[in-house]
Amino acid sequence: MAITGYVLFWILLLSFASSIKSEHTETKELVLTLNHSNYDEIINKHNFIVVNFYTSWYIYCDSFNISYEEVASELSSHVPPVVFAKIDASEEANREFVTTDVGIARFPSILIFRYRGKLHEWYLGPKKADDIAFFLKRLSKEPLPSLHIKSADDVAEFVGDKKVFVVGIFPKLPGSEFDSFLAAAYKFRADYDSATAEDKIKLHFNYTFAHTLDAKLLPSGEPTVTGPLVRIFKPFDELVVDSKDFESEALEKFVKESSFPLVTVFDKDPNNTPYVIRFFYSPYTKVMLYINLTGEAAESFKCKYREVATSNKGQGLRFLLGGVNDSQGTLKNYGHKESHIPLIIIETASGKNYLKANVEIDQIESWVKDFKEGKLAPYVKSQPIPTENNDLVKVVVSNSFDDMVFKSVKNVMLIFYVPWSKFYQKLVPMFDEIAVSYQNDPSVVIAKIDLSTNDIPRDTFDVKGVPTIYFISASGNIVVYHGDGTKEDFISFIHKNKDTVGKADKKEKTTKEAKDEL
């Protein structure tokens, strides 16, 4: 009996130790250990996983790891689940992977992966347990960036005939394609939400995403499909378009390309306004045809222009058709009048313009082809070169820019302005006084150029606001002015940057820091 009791004692002791060990292991497993070989596999398994990148030799990482364990423990039963992981970058096998492949430069760093690794973002807040936990709780409860269509009433609420809607059709939820769809939806929403107020005005467009298990609920398109596919509804061109490619870049490109009209119409219809704004702020090369939309040849022009746009689809060009009565400001900007209609203009992303006035229908296709093949000379908007230029502040125009600024071997203070700027108008008398101060110094020229009627070398002069003042020294150095705007400060600016003419040769120009306004 004594032996039996003795054995029982050890059985109970071992059982208790095993229980302690099990609890310890379970606690440890609250934070998964990653390495270079299992990193992708584990991240791609989870819908929401947080990864701590640390080094064992940095004492701050040791203290932070304790806080990280506390957060993992606190959120161990959180709904929806949040998975925690860590990877030691100081281990030789992980070092190159973490620093080169993942791109981690500072430790500790936290990356948050969602939708099975298809979307990631940095945690940049305080490295305290409470702060991290608060951020993750809020992030995990963030509403989905896609609306769930479950009934005809949802369709009536979400899908209209005047906007673009992106709808994912899936046989089941969740799934890898659904994760890709949500990641794209989140990225589009985040890009819009994080934009400045000015950029939102420029974008003037916010994508609406939805998803459903039943294609029959949707207003058009093949009703029997079960997916997975992405269906875009839009109020132009083909009204419904589908794609089955859920690769992230392909999906994003499909949404962007499909939600842009083949030909943007610039008229008085307010429904076209968002697309017109997107057109002018897009980074693509812009092709613009301006015609009399009520003229006899209007339909023929529209038909041919759409044909040209179709044949150039996917080649980095955006097409716009404008009515002469609705585009006066644009025509004025390019220095053209109604007598030049029909007018076709191409504006590249670098700001070069190509145009043909009084274009005929059968010339449109060949003219666009000549542009693509580099056979057209750029158009430069310029006032006529003044026959007399005797004012105190000299007039520079586009066609005299090289001779008066770059090749003059003089020190030129150049004022970029528009005549209706009230701020510029207040400064005109002071500019005259500065010019008087240098009347006896032929090495210094005070000059101005009207941006409303002249093109400038935008790759050299970064002019966003007016007036903007640059100083081009005799040796070719280019400096933007950002002083206090007084006469004395301008004179000091000139004196500091001017070269002695006769000893200085034009060198390669270097542009120093730019500033939007005076």
Side-chain angles (χ1 to χ4, degrees), residues 17 20 33 58-59 63 86 109 117 120 175 297 300 321 344 357 361 369 400 453 460 465 477 499 508:
I20 294 175
T33 299
Y58 184 25
I59 191 170
S63 61
K86 63 183 179 181
S109 289
H120 72 271
S300 297
L321 178 69
I344 187 167
I361 294 174
K369 183 174 181 289
S400 66
T453 51
T460 302
N477 290 321
D499 293 322
E508 182 180 355

Side-chain angles (χ1 to χ4, degrees), residues 79-130:
V79 179
V82 179
V83 178
F84 289 81
K86 63 183 179 181
I87 182 168
D88 186 353
S90 59
E91 291 186 6
E92 186 175 351
N94 297 331
R95 191 175 304 143
E96 183 176 354
F97 171 77
V98 170
T99 58
T100 303
D101 294 357
V102 184
I104 305 296
R106 300 180 64 183
F107 302 95
S109 289
I110 300 177
L111 262 176
I112 302 164
F113 295 87
R114 288 191 281 174
Y115 311 125
R116 292 171 174 80
K118 293 179 174 64
L119 183 73
H120 72 271
E121 58 189 292
W122 296 96
Y123 172 73
L124 301 175
K127 299 271 195 316
K128 295 181 180 178
D130 290 345

Side-chain angles (χ1 to χ4, degrees), residues 153-303:
D153 290 339
D154 292 336
V155 174
E157 180 181 355
F158 298 150
V159 182
D161 60 354
K162 298 297 182 183
K163 294 183 179 180
V164 174
F165 287 87
V166 184
V167 181
I169 302 171
F170 301 97
K172 62 177 182 177
L173 298 175
S176 60
E177 290 88 357
F178 181 62
D179 291 337
S180 297
F181 182 78
L182 288 182
Y186 181 86
K187 184 177 186 306
F188 277 106
R189 186 177 73 180
D191 287 348
Y192 186 83
D193 289 347
S194 63
T196 64
E198 180 183 1
D199 285 338
K200 284 181 179 177
I201 292 173
K202 292 177 182 179
L203 289 169
H204 210 276
F205 196 83
N206 192 8
Y207 296 89
T208 299
F209 283 75
H211 59 276
T212 185
L213 294 169
D214 190 355
K216 292 190 292 293
L217 294 173
L218 303 176
S220 55
E222 172 56 49
T224 61
V225 297
T226 57
L229 63 82
V230 179
R231 177 166 293 171
I232 295 182
F233 299 88
K234 50 186 178 175
F236 49 79
D237 302 336
E238 67 273 52
L239 300 180
V240 179
V241 59
D242 292 345
S243 173
K244 294 184 177 181
D245 193 342
F246 283 86
E247 191 276 325
S248 58
E249 289 186 11
L251 180 55
E252 184 176 345
K253 181 179 179 181
F254 170 67
V255 172
K256 287 182 177 180
E257 293 288 335
S258 300
S259 60
F260 213 110
L262 181 64
V263 176
T264 301
V265 178
F266 190 178
D267 59 11
K268 293 181 180 178
D269 185 347
N271 291 313
N272 290 330
T273 300
Y275 305 106
V276 173
I277 294 175
R278 286 182 70 204
F279 175 89
F280 282 110
Y281 281 105
S282 74
Y284 298 92
T285 293
K286 302 170 182 63
V287 185
M288 299 163 276
L289 176 64
Y290 295 96
I291 64 172
N292 183 351
L293 291 175
T294 59
E296 293 182 2
E299 290 305 316
S300 297
F301 267 104
K302 289 180 185 178
C303 183

